[in-house]
Amino acid sequence: MIMSRIEARPDEDAVAAGSLPGRLTENLPEHPTENLPERLLAGLPAEAVLTDPDVTSSYAHDMASFCEAGAPAAVVLPRTVEQVQHVMRVATELRVPVVPQGARTGLSGAANASDGCIVLSLVKMDRILEISAVDRIAVVEPGVVNAALSRAVNEHGLYYPPDPSSWEMCTIGGNIGTASGGLCCVKYGVTAEYVLGLDVVLADGRLLSTGRRTAKGVAGYDLTRLFVGSEGSLGIVVGATLALKPQPPQQLVLAAEFPSGAAACDAVCRIMEGGHVPSLLELMDRTTVKAVNDMAHMGLPESTEALLLAAFDTPDPAADLAAVGALCEAAGATQVVPAEDAAESELLLQARRLSLTGLEAVKGTTMIDDVCVPRSRLAEMLEGVDRIAGKYRLTIGVVAHAGDGNTHPTVCFDAGDPDESRRARESFDEIMALGLELGGTITGEHGVGVLKKEWLAREIGPVGIEVQRALKATFDPLGILNPGKLF
């Protein structure tokens, strides 16, 4: 077992306190980054090591608001596993923090640099190594873009379901690091359910292989699942074996307009209670509908308080849409519009795809929340967010993966207005608290990063934090892997 081969371990009191033990830090070099470029270049080509501050600053942060970012000492863009191992050996010897990055499309600050760190950007490791239609797997490097993998497996009659909104840009390594979700989660689940095995470079440069490429396997602890969602704090993912599914039929979409958010949430509950399995079940509140209307002039009725989009990729999607349409009408829908073909389906989905862009246009800056609640509490979540928006005099639109209760309250504010920025941050915290009060979780798919550290502690409690810190110390005894994230 890999855990038995890691020699240095922090003492328990230090772990509980969240600090590094003195015996591991007392002999640190006084200026660890002085000869860092030379040490890195000993095992990397010159073009793979960036040290110009004007260049490295562009790698300092992801897309999250209100998250501090430091100045990297160097940015490294490896192309091979051996090069990643070299980086980690140098970092371990010099005690330099390492922040792994993908495409930096994250929304929690998990990829933000710390002062004096090595930013390890894995975007150049972008090969699809294998696609097997028989075993229904793909073997990929971490820098493969989600959409590129999806298109490649489609050519083999296969399907990789996880589809974050940033799928045209985000990488598989980043998806694994934050356990990303997407529109299809209601039927197909999140990234974690498709990761069969991983190749991981540990903090000291050793290579660990976890999991399997077989359909079944229960040998030992499930280390693979442990790394998924760990935000680069336990090791550097350099390869992944992913499960695939047969490509489903083309989905058809239905749009239903409701006179209230509560009525739309009632329809969601009726659909799920009725045993239906939509491939997509998305909700937009009135604020989001108005923002999209104002920007794109889509002609949605101004009286629309909530818009529900449902899709099915079954052998007879029209019949499924008819059944769901009847449930929407029973819940009070004022209009139900089922698509007849793929073109109409895509047209109906345009409003959902434009949601974030529309909300960004309201004030220029958005802070996107990610709170998942039980489906039965979805209406309470929407009502609570509406109250919070009024309390803080802010525009807050809600888009939700309604089928799995994952809401994205999006706070619109003027970043140049200090008072409005303060109110935006306070409203964000109040939304977090509301989600926990409703029996939910602080993040369904965006991760913790820097943005939600204090809220992770509130959700899992002191014992949970202690156990997670102990796991962190086992895999990363020097604390150099993405420090300052999660807890």
Side-chain angles (χ1 to χ4, degrees):
M1 288 176 55
I2 190 65
M3 292 173 67
S4 66
R5 297 203 302 267
I6 297 178
E7 296 176 358
R9 287 181 172 81
D11 61 76
E12 292 180 0
D13 291 339
V15 169
S19 60
L20 292 173
R23 64 186 178 87
L24 293 178
T25 58
E26 59 190 8
N27 296 318
L28 296 186
E30 189 172 346
H31 302 289
T33 61
E34 281 187 353
N35 65 338
L36 177 62
E38 292 78 11
R39 295 297 306 277
L40 292 171
L41 287 167
L44 291 160
E47 66 271 14
V49 181
L50 310 177
T51 56
D52 182 341
D54 290 335
V55 177
T56 59
S57 63
S58 66
Y59 290 82
H61 56 83
D62 62 18
M63 297 178 70
S65 301
F66 297 111
C67 292
E68 293 183 358
V75 173
V76 178
L77 295 100
R79 290 184 179 271
T80 68
V81 173
E82 292 75 19
Q83 290 175 358
V84 175
Q85 290 180 282
H86 170 71
V87 171
M88 294 314 304
R89 291 185 186 115
V90 170
T92 292
E93 185 174 342
L94 298 181
R95 308 303 199 258
V96 177
V98 176
V99 177
Q101 288 184 351
R104 302 194 310 280
T105 57
L107 293 164
S108 68
N112 283 14
S114 53
D115 283 331
C117 76
I118 299 169
V119 164
L120 187 56
S121 175
L122 299 158
V123 295
K124 299 291 187 183
M125 297 180 67
D126 59 358
R127 295 180 299 162
I128 298 174
L129 302 174
E130 179 187 354
I131 296 173
S132 172
V134 174
D135 294 325
R136 292 183 182 173
I137 62 169
V139 181
V140 305
E141 292 182 328
V144 171
V145 172
N146 185 296
L149 175 62
S150 295
R151 294 182 182 116
V153 302
N154 287 166
E155 294 177 4
H156 296 261
L158 298 169
Y159 176 45
Y160 180 67
D163 61 343
S165 296
S166 58
W167 78 303
E168 291 282 4
M169 298 178 289
C170 65
T171 63
I172 295 299
N175 294 169
I176 291 170
T178 57
S180 298
L183 302 185
C184 71
C185 292
V186 61
K187 180 173 182 178
Y188 292 105
V190 297
T191 296
E193 294 168 64
Y194 293 88
V195 182
L196 296 176
L198 293 172
D199 290 328
V200 181
V201 174
L202 299 176
D204 59 8
R206 288 176 297 161
L207 181 64
L208 167 69
S209 293
T210 75
R212 64 193 195 279
R213 55 180 289 140
T214 55
K216 296 164 62 177
V218 292
Y221 295 132
D222 189 352
L223 297 182
T224 302
R225 200 66 176 254
L226 184 61
F227 283 104
V228 178
S230 65
E231 302 184 11
S233 65
L234 302 179
I236 311 296
V237 173
V238 292
T241 300
L242 306 172
L244 304 174
K245 289 185 176 294
Q247 190 169 3
Q250 179 69 49
Q251 69 177 7
L252 287 182
V253 177
L254 169 148
E257 297 173 14
F258 289 88
S260 69
C265 292
D266 179 32
V268 170
C269 292
R270 290 171 186 252
I271 291 167
M272 301 310 292
E273 186 178 20
H276 298 282
V277 187
S279 55
L280 174 152
L281 191 56
E282 297 288 302
L283 185 148
M284 298 164 58
D285 74 346
R286 68 171 181 272
T287 301
T288 307
V289 170
K290 183 179 185 304
V292 171
N293 251 348
D294 290 346
M295 182 195 68
H297 308 291
M298 294 194 69
L300 298 172
E302 293 297 325
S303 59
T304 299
E305 291 290 310
L307 183 68
L308 189 66
L309 298 167
F312 285 87
D313 58 6
T314 53
D316 188 6
D320 289 308
L321 289 185
V324 164
L327 292 175
C328 289
E329 290 173 346
T334 54
Q335 186 174 12
V336 175
V337 181
E340 294 185 358
D341 55 32
E344 284 190 10
S345 292
E346 184 59 31
L347 188 62
L348 291 175
L349 286 176
Q350 277 305 305
R352 173 62 181 88
R353 298 188 197 284
L354 291 171
S355 294
L356 179 55
T357 307
L359 289 168
E360 284 175 341
V362 173
K363 284 281 189 171
T365 308
T366 56
M367 188 176 189
I368 306 171
D369 219 322
D370 171 37
V371 180
C372 194
V373 298
R375 285 183 289 257
S376 58
R377 313 295 297 274
L378 192 58
E380 295 171 78
M381 184 68 192
L382 265 64
E383 291 166 0
V385 170
D386 193 47
R387 287 196 303 272
I388 292 167
K391 174 181 177 180
Y392 289 96
R393 308 187 313 281
L394 293 166
T395 298
I396 305 178
V398 179
V399 181
H401 306 312
D404 51 28
N406 194 175
T407 68
H408 294 308
T410 303
V411 184
C412 306
F413 66 100
D414 179 358
D417 183 334
D419 180 66
E420 194 159 283
S421 295
R422 174 191 59 78
R423 286 184 278 123
R425 181 62 208 231
E426 290 178 3
S427 73
F428 176 90
D429 287 338
E430 200 155 322
I431 291 168
M432 290 280 100
L434 172 64
L436 292 181
E437 289 170 11
L438 295 176
T441 176
I442 60 166
T443 176
E445 56 190 9
H446 292 172
V448 175
V450 176
L451 189 61
K452 298 184 178 181
K453 287 168 59 174
E454 66 173 284
W455 288 101
L456 175 66
R458 297 190 195 191
E459 179 171 335
I460 68 176
V463 175
I465 287 291
E466 181 179 350
V467 170
Q468 295 212 14
R469 284 178 173 160
L471 283 169
K472 163 74 170 170
T474 298
F475 285 93
D476 179 24
L478 299 179
I480 62 173
L481 281 171
N482 214 8
K485 313 297 167 51
L486 293 171
F487 33 69

